[in-house]
């Protein structure tokens, strides 16, 4: 299987659908890579599904670098994108460039994603000019949860929908190699997908985007604090995990674990000598 890069992802538009999934550590990175996913996004959703925060606002650059590096150690083929956390790029263009660069120099990611459109075009241009491919992200951008007043779908009115179309075109012009469209009406996502030449990756944006992305814990049914309408659980691993841990506890309690095959015994002669040594010591 060919190694995925930002230009390779860009070239997939119009050829076939693009697959993307989040991952946050070595083992989820390995699983995503083994499943031949095109893009592994180390999303700042990390804050909610791994670190247990209410939203993504508390996630730091250190968190993201730590987890992105772990994912990279597990994945060798997919394109790994590091998600720029809240306040790692908003304050200034130079801060955006410096932090985007850290994902490439310290973690093995080969692109970054940042949320927002018009206010961040200059940031995108400067990051791309510095050599870092950028994936845009518009619609429901969770880092704006305070301004939106919750995790609410966007682009539902004619005016806001046409602003999203303009924003997507501006992000392409600023140099993005792809754009995530989150929680927007399918008609708006279709219009954007037809009007930009870079791939759109949808999450809650209907069937007409160039690709789809979902959160690892949602796909596997590992996270049930809330389940957005756009999520499909392809497995129910939370129940399976609880069942497995319950079985372990039951076997520890009734003594059936560990069984013979789960431990080693000493060689008979060594055991005899061991007992003799212990007795000798008692006598002293
Ligand atoms: O942080 C994240 O996981 C994301 C995706 C859901 C697009 O931004």
């Amino acid at each position: 299987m060919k190694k995925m890069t930002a230009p390779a992802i860009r070239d997939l538009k119009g050829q076939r659908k693009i697959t993307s999934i989040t991952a946050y550590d070595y083992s989820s990175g390995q699983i995503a890579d083994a499943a031949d996913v095109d893009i592994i996004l180390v999303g700042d959703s990390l804050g909610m599904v791994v670190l247990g925060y209410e939203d993504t606002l508390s996630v730091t650059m250190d968190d993201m670098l730590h987890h992105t590096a772990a994912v990279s150690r597990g994945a060798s083929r997919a394109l790994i994108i590091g998600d720029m956390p809240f306040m790692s790029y908003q304050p200034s263009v130079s801060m955006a460039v410096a932090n985007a660069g850290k994902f490439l120099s310290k973690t093995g990611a080969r692109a970054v994603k940042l949320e927002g459109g018009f206010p961040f075009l200059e940031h995108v241009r400067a990051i791309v000019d510095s050599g870092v491919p950028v994936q845009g992200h518009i619609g429901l951008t969770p880092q704006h949860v305070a301004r939106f007043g919750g995790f609410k779908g966007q682009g539902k009115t004619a005016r806001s929908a046409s602003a999203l179309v303009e924003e997507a075109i501006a992000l392409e012009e600023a140099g993005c190699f792809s754009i995530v469209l989150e929680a927007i009406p399918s008609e708006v996502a279709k219009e954007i997908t037809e009007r930009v030449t870079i791939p759109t990756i949808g999450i809650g944006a209907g069937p007409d985007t160039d690709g789809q992305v979902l959160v690892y814990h949602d796909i596997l049914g590992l996270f049930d604090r809330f389940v957005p309408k756009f999520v499909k659980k392809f497995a129910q691993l939370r129940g399976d995990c609880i069942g497995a841990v319950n079985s372990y506890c039951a076997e520890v309690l009734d003594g059936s674990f560990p069984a013979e095959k789960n431990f080693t015994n000493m060689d008979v002669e060594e055991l005899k000598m061991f007992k003799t040594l212990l007795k000798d010591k008692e006598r002293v």
Side-chain angles (χ1 to χ4, degrees), residues 22 41 43-45 83 113 137 180 203 215:
T22 66
L41 170 67
D44 64 355
S45 48
D83 206 4
K113 174 172 84 59
H137 181 168
V180 169
I203 173 162
V215 166

Side-chain angles (χ1 to χ4, degrees), residues 260-277:
E260 199 73 54
K261 62 181 176 198
N262 304 121
F263 56 85
T264 52
N265 288 320
M266 271 177 107
D267 173 81
V268 182
E269 286 310 311
E270 290 295 333
L271 182 58
K272 266 193 212 152
M273 239 153 52
F274 175 50
K275 298 241 161 137
T276 314
L277 280 176

Side-chain angles (χ1 to χ4, degrees), residues 11-57:
D11 289 347
L12 286 176
K13 186 172 177 109
Q15 302 298 313
R16 66 158 170 83
K17 291 279 186 182
I18 297 165
T19 56
S20 181
I21 176 177
T22 66
Y24 311 99
D25 58 15
Y26 174 73
S27 83
S28 55
Q30 256 194 338
I31 287 170
D33 210 50
D36 282 345
V37 74
D38 296 315
I39 301 174
I40 299 177
L41 170 67
V42 188
D44 64 355
S45 48
L46 161 82
M48 299 165 82
V49 298
V50 175
L51 302 178
Y53 298 132
E54 281 300 306
D55 52 40
T56 60
L57 301 180

